[in-house]
Amino acid sequence: MTTTSLPIRGADVSMTAEVEALGGSFSDAAGTRDLFRILADHGVNLARLRVWVDPTDSAGRPYQGGTNDLATTLRLAERARAAGLDLMIDLHYSDFWADPKKQSLPRSWEGLDLDGVCDAVAAHTAEVITAVQSSAGSPEWVQVGNETTNGMLWPHGRTPRYDLESRAFEEVSPDEASEQYDRLARLLQAGSSAVRAADSRSRIVLHLDAGGAADLYRRWFDEITMRGVDFDAVGLSYYPLWHGSLDDLRDNLHQLVERYEKDVIVVETAYAYRPDNPGGTSMFDASSPAAIYPASVEGQAGYLDDLAGVVRG
């Protein structure tokens, strides 16, 4: 295990194996070479790697997106370690992407009641962390869930939905909301307890999206801390196209540090290097107030410099 470096300068490299298998390569001024070596040589000190439970359909065909099963993650973790990088393991507790719009049960967990899903969370977490520890050393950070803004492992851990456009939670009765957060807390704690038991050196991250939404973070973490869920750091997604200004992010980070006395980590961010993006998944809108940086490599660098300054503050 390496010493956790602060500040963290990370990159999510979960799709590396798939990119390479499809013929992609990586280069810098020194030429084409291993991505992990390039990152380390340019100041990156942490690799973030997601884990899906079984990213294949009933016929065994991969969903792609990195096909990040445990075996793939272990191979990437070994490469990251060889380059001297720390590790953040991102447990989605799903067979594919988990985010505020979808938190689907793994296919093999369907039909389980809440107790059974908690047991499955604990067993999966222990399996992953033990395997990473054996092959690449103790992961410095472990995410228990990915963008769990609206809960996880639906329907068991669904919580009142936060609407990003209106910046408001859906209206449910206080009793119903309390029961929903009770269930979510049980699932999160099942994962956290399994991390502690498998590797006490790993630090636990709970992760939401909408990093500029202070009201979201205050309510969610008030509910979770009130229920005694064990964690070490607040992880945030912050995409300027959707999540408010850097001032909004700054205000939220200060609130989080003061209110919960936890570390804060922006674990996801992005900015476009071109105004269009094949496939209709553009990260840039010239009419958006967020478009204060040009859609260029230089614009990306300027945005990331400013973001780093906010986090350092």
Side-chain angles (χ1 to χ4, degrees), residues 44-216:
V44 170
N45 57 20
L46 179 144
R48 181 177 184 248
L49 296 169
R50 64 175 167 265
V51 182
W52 291 323
V53 177
D54 180 13
T56 59
D57 65 17
S58 58
R61 295 169 297 205
Y63 295 136
Q64 299 185 321
T67 313
N68 296 110
D69 58 9
L70 179 55
T72 299
T73 297
L74 293 177
R75 290 191 293 271
L76 294 174
E78 290 169 356
R79 291 175 62 183
R81 281 293 195 225
L85 303 180
D86 287 356
L87 295 175
M88 177 180 287
I89 302 300
D90 177 10
L91 296 165
H92 280 233
Y93 300 112
S94 186
D95 290 337
F96 204 46
W97 302 103
D99 56 47
K101 294 183 179 179
K102 53 189 180 299
Q103 294 278 340
S104 303
L105 280 170
R107 189 171 60 251
S108 60
W109 299 5
E110 292 175 358
L112 297 176
D113 61 11
L114 179 59
D115 288 340
V117 175
C118 286
D119 290 343
V121 166
H124 173 67
T125 303
E127 178 189 16
V128 171
I129 302 309
T130 300
V132 172
Q133 183 187 54
S134 297
S135 67
S138 300
E140 282 72 19
W141 301 92
V142 178
Q143 267 189 231
V144 174
N146 188 79
E147 291 191 336
T148 56
T149 305
N150 300 323
M152 62 192 286
L153 292 158
W154 295 346
H156 300 285
R158 186 188 288 271
T159 55
R161 184 178 66 87
Y162 182 80
D163 183 74
L164 187 56
E165 191 169 327
S166 65
R167 296 294 179 97
F169 288 90
E170 69 175 318
E171 293 186 11
V172 300
S173 71
D175 287 346
E176 183 180 356
S178 180
E179 291 174 3
Q180 290 178 347
Y181 282 112
D182 285 346
R183 291 193 291 269
L184 174 60
R186 285 190 58 192
L187 292 165
L188 291 170
Q189 189 56 49
S192 293
S193 294
V195 173
R196 297 292 190 215
D199 196 326
S200 61
R201 292 168 290 186
S202 298
R203 304 187 69 206
I204 296 165
V205 181
L206 300 183
H207 170 213
L208 310 184
D209 80 321
D215 57 339
L216 160 65

